[in-house]
Amino acid sequence: MSVPTSSAQWSTRLGFILAAAGSAIGLGAIWKFPYWAGANGGAAFILPYILFTFTAGVVLVMAELALGRSGRGSAVEAMRRAGGRGFVWCGGMAVLTSFLILSYYAVVGGWCAAYLAEALMGEAASQDPEVLKMRFGELVSGRNIAWLFAFLAAVCLTAVFGVHRGIERLSTCLMPIFFLLMVGLAAYSLLLPGSEAELAYLFQFSWSTVTPQAILNAMGFTFFSLSLGAGVLVTYGAYVNKSTRLPSAAMWVAILALQAAILAGLVIMPAVFAYGLEPDAGPGLVFITLPMIFAQLSGGSIVAVIFYFCLFVAALTSAISLLEVAVAFLQNECRFSRRAAVFLCFAALFILGSVSALSFGPWNDCLIFGRSIFDFLDYVCTNFLMTINGLAVAFVVGWKAWPKAMKELSTCSPENGVVTKGTLSAIGFGLRWLAPLMVLASCWQGLEA
Ligand code: TRP
């Protein structure tokens, strides 16, 4: 029997905020942020990132949520209702984007699961960089696909249980644990000798380190880290009840996402500095540099388990949100049951994900426009698809359906306060001018890279 998604709802405001924060906080915050901050001059990257999060970023979060709540269905339905028939394709593109992102995101999610398993068996750490490099190499070129399967299975299993019993329950249970553990790890890391150097590196701002490149990178990172431009928040917005005040909920999501990224920076950087390693080590930072540090810490094997657990939770809750876009679409537009929708996605994602996974091993010489399949998908999604989606949302909500959106943004039960006219016009301004400008600028930067 088909169950229309519009009947599904978050049971509490907190549950919704934690699920949306779970989506935002992912590999972006923990895996990408520390090494991007490292490579882009520390504070010169972090300050623009904070600024963009609380301007165009949060405004787009509000827009996606409002679009979703007024659409009461999938991303396609939301676009149809707000933008008319002419914008249905934008909704379809959002579904495609989240699907493609998930196909390669799940590959890295699989690595996180693999490292968590190794940490649990006490085998993640080693003093020898060559051993660590070899182990990472072996994982990405060999067992990759088995771990992809396991990770996707965990994601799909949660999705089968539905919005409230699956996604909301898991997020409400895991996200607070995630934050507690990350605070503990950051405190531990800050107690290591030499952590002052790191704090200075992350937070001491000087104009001389600011480059246009760092600013534009920070913009791109903001959009990815807030899960924008792929229909995720539109889909989650459809499950929000009418008593919730959207602008403040969006603000909470942005604050939590930012907090998680900064915490991840505080966990990783002091350790990296304390052991004299390079903060801009690239994607290998978390999988090659950190295990070396774990081997030298007292209680390192426990720290490793906690760290990879957090990384795994972050990846899992984000992947679940990406999957929900396609599941809601199949339920709403194609009248699939939830179970059938999840199963179909699982099969398709496993096939597509395996292609990305193989591009690290046997297929690494198969290049598309000079990039491996994995890199190519990431490039197309973050630079083209997310950009077009972001622009479409800003246009539809900010211009085409603004009166309706204003009503949606200010709808909430009286005990939850009111949204003032001033707030609404600030959101409108951000959405019409600031957001499109910033989305285009970060896309342009991505194309140059
Ligand atoms: N925000 C997540 C991260 O930082 C990833 C993610 C989830 C995402 N949903 C998204 C990125 C939608 C872009 C679009 O890891």
Side-chain angles (χ1 to χ4, degrees), residues 116-250:
L116 174 62
E118 281 193 9
L120 282 169
M121 291 185 297
E123 288 166 7
S126 164
Q127 301 253 16
D128 185 349
E130 288 314 311
V131 169
L132 290 167
K133 269 189 206 147
M134 206 177 71
R135 198 184 292 156
F136 184 60
E138 263 172 24
L139 169 67
V140 302
S141 61
R143 289 167 291 133
N144 227 350
I145 293 188
W147 284 109
L148 167 72
F149 186 90
F151 183 80
L152 279 176
V155 173
C156 291
L157 191 68
T158 314
V160 166
F161 282 98
V163 174
H164 168 55
R165 283 197 313 138
I167 307 176
E168 185 176 353
R169 264 201 200 160
L170 190 86
S171 314
T172 335
C173 167
L174 290 182
M175 292 316 286
I177 301 178
F178 168 87
F179 273 106
L180 278 179
L181 293 178
M182 288 296 282
V183 169
L185 286 178
Y188 184 89
S189 186
L190 285 170
L191 288 176
L192 295 172
S195 63
E196 305 81 27
E198 165 272 344
L199 282 183
Y201 183 74
L202 281 184
F203 297 111
Q204 223 169 57
F205 183 73
S206 109
W207 283 107
S208 63
T209 52
V210 180
T211 59
Q213 178 93 7
I215 294 183
L216 293 170
N217 278 340
M219 269 184 208
F221 179 75
T222 306
F223 297 128
F224 190 84
S225 89
L226 288 174
S227 301
L228 290 166
V232 167
L233 295 171
V234 179
T235 308
Y236 273 17
Y239 308 141
V240 179
N241 64 36
K242 291 279 182 194
S243 68
T244 302
R245 193 152 51 122
L246 291 182
S248 58

Side-chain angles (χ1 to χ4, degrees), residues 20-30 32 97-98 101 104-105 221-233 314-315 317-319 321-322 325 382 386:
S23 165
I25 301 163
L27 295 169
I30 307 187
K32 217 170 176 181
T97 310
S98 57
I101 294 179
Y104 66 84
Y105 198 87
F221 179 75
T222 306
F223 297 128
F224 190 84
S225 89
L226 288 174
S227 301
L228 290 166
V232 167
L233 295 171
T317 47
S318 298
S321 75
L322 285 161
V325 184
T382 48
M386 280 172 61

